[in-house]
Amino acid sequence: MKHQLILAVLLSISLFSCAKETPKVKHSKSMVTPKENLKNVKVVNAEDPVCHMKTADYLKFTATYKNKEYGFCSAYCKDEFNKNPEKYVQE
């Protein structure tokens, strides 16, 4: 019984610590999105700098910052990037 309690506590701590590392990005289903993915658009990033989703196969939005084109998975992520691009750009 004591071992089960200890195991439950350790499991709970482990789950809560992992949950804190998840980016707090809320993708809304009501966002306005383009009709199709952008094709033949060259961007400097392989993953969304805001939520870290891979954008290579699912690129929908782009923004230009310092003459470089960045790709995003959603309008929310693009808007967050545009609020403070220095926070997300690593040079």
Side-chain angles (χ1 to χ4, degrees):
M1 180 77 172
K2 186 176 180 180
H3 295 293
Q4 291 174 341
L5 178 60
I6 292 171
L7 182 60
V9 169
L10 290 175
L11 182 60
S12 297
I13 291 170
S14 134
L15 289 174
F16 287 120
S17 66
C18 290
K20 289 181 182 178
E21 295 175 11
T22 305
K24 293 178 173 61
V25 175
K26 296 178 182 176
H27 292 102
S28 172
K29 291 182 179 179
S30 64
M31 291 183 301
V32 177
T33 58
K35 291 183 181 179
E36 61 184 56
N37 293 345
L38 299 175
K39 297 186 186 219
N40 300 322
V41 175
K42 301 293 183 198
V43 294
V44 296
N45 57 314
E47 72 176 31
D48 189 310
V50 177
C51 72
H52 305 289
M53 286 180 61
K54 294 201 182 302
T55 58
D57 297 329
Y58 196 66
L59 183 63
K60 287 195 167 212
F61 298 89
T62 62
T64 304
Y65 177 69
K66 291 189 175 180
N67 295 321
K68 294 181 181 176
E69 197 73 20
Y70 291 87
F72 304 92
C73 67
S74 68
Y76 175 84
C77 288
K78 177 183 173 183
D79 292 342
E80 286 298 306
F81 177 84
N82 284 330
K83 287 178 187 176
N84 187 7
E86 294 86 16
K87 177 180 176 181
Y88 300 106
V89 174
Q90 297 175 358
E91 296 189 54

